[in-house]
Amino acid sequence: ILGLLEMEQSEKAREYILGTTLVTGEAISNIKKLIPISNLAALLIGKVMRAAELDISLSIKADTHFVDKENGLPSECYITIVGNLVENAIDELNRADFPVKEIELGIYVDEESTIITCDDTGGGIPEDILIHLYDRNTTTKGEGHGIGFSLIRDIVDTYEGVVHID
C-alpha cells in the first residue's frame, strides 16, 4: 500500500485495500465520517484491517463525536492513546480462544472534555499486571514491550485527566 501511495497511485491503493475483504467501504466511510483527524482515521483503518485478519471485530461507536476538535488533544496524543488501547485489546483477544472477539472504540470531544473508551470482550488485565500497569516495562508480551500504558499515563497527567479501568 505504501508503495502505491509513494507512486502517487492512491486510487489503486484504495482499490487494493477494499479488495482484501478485510475492511469494507462502509467501514472506511464510517471512520472518515466519525473521525475528523486524518492521521487518527488512517491509524484506525489500519487497526480495523489488522483486527479483521485475526477474526476480531473492531468498530467505532456510532455516538463518537468531535464537537470542538480544536480544544481537544493534539493529534499525536490521540494516536498514542488510541493506538495503544486498541493494540492491547487486539493482543488480548488474539492470545486466547474467546467465543466473541469484539472491540468497540468511542471518542467524545466537546468544549470541556475528551473521553476515549475502549471496550473488548477479552479476559481483562491480570491483577498482578494491573497494580504495576503504569510502570515502564510492565507487560504480558515479553521483553521490549511495556511502555504503552506509561505513555498514556504521561499524556493523561499532562492534560490533568483521569484513567479508569474496569
Side-chain angles (χ1 to χ4, degrees):
I1 296 170
L2 179 59
L4 291 170
L5 294 174
E6 288 294 326
M7 294 173 15
E8 298 182 10
Q9 296 183 12
S10 58
E11 189 55 39
K12 282 188 178 180
R14 185 178 190 289
E15 289 171 13
Y16 174 79
I17 291 168
L18 293 175
T20 64
T21 69
L22 294 175
V23 62
T24 65
E26 181 181 340
I28 291 173
S29 177
N30 188 45
I31 290 170
K32 287 171 48 179
K33 179 179 76 172
L34 293 172
I35 308 296
I37 301 169
S38 60
N39 55 352
L40 179 58
L43 171 81
L44 288 171
I45 290 167
K47 295 291 183 187
V48 166
M49 289 181 70
R50 177 161 156 37
E53 288 173 345
L54 301 170
D55 292 323
I56 298 169
S57 169
L58 169 57
S59 62
I60 312 302
K61 291 183 180 182
D63 61 346
T64 288
H65 63 270
F66 286 76
V67 173
D68 186 5
K69 78 173 188 169
E70 282 74 33
N71 286 334
L73 297 169
S75 65
E76 61 272 7
C77 292
Y78 287 109
I79 297 294
T80 299
I81 294 170
V82 170
N84 278 292
L85 291 175
V86 170
E87 193 60 32
N88 283 337
I90 290 171
D91 287 345
E92 168 65 10
L93 292 171
N94 192 43
R95 77 169 177 81
D97 191 25
F98 294 103
V100 176
K101 295 185 176 191
E102 295 177 344
I103 303 167
E104 252 193 338
L105 179 72
I107 305 173
Y108 311 95
V109 180
D110 60 31
E111 294 83 7
E112 297 178 17
S113 65
T114 297
I115 298 171
I116 300 170
T117 64
C118 186
D119 302 313
D120 68 65
T121 57
I125 301 170
E127 192 64 37
D128 60 325
I129 297 293
L130 194 57
I131 60 175
H132 300 288
L133 190 62
Y134 302 110
D135 300 342
R136 288 199 186 264
N137 302 319
T138 296
T139 184
T140 59
K141 300 175 192 172
E143 195 171 324
H145 296 276
I147 63 167
F149 272 101
S150 65
L151 292 173
I152 290 171
R153 171 54 85 191
D154 290 346
I155 293 168
V156 169
D157 287 349
T158 298
Y159 290 93
E160 300 176 359
V162 177
V163 174
H164 175 76
I165 298 173
D166 184 21

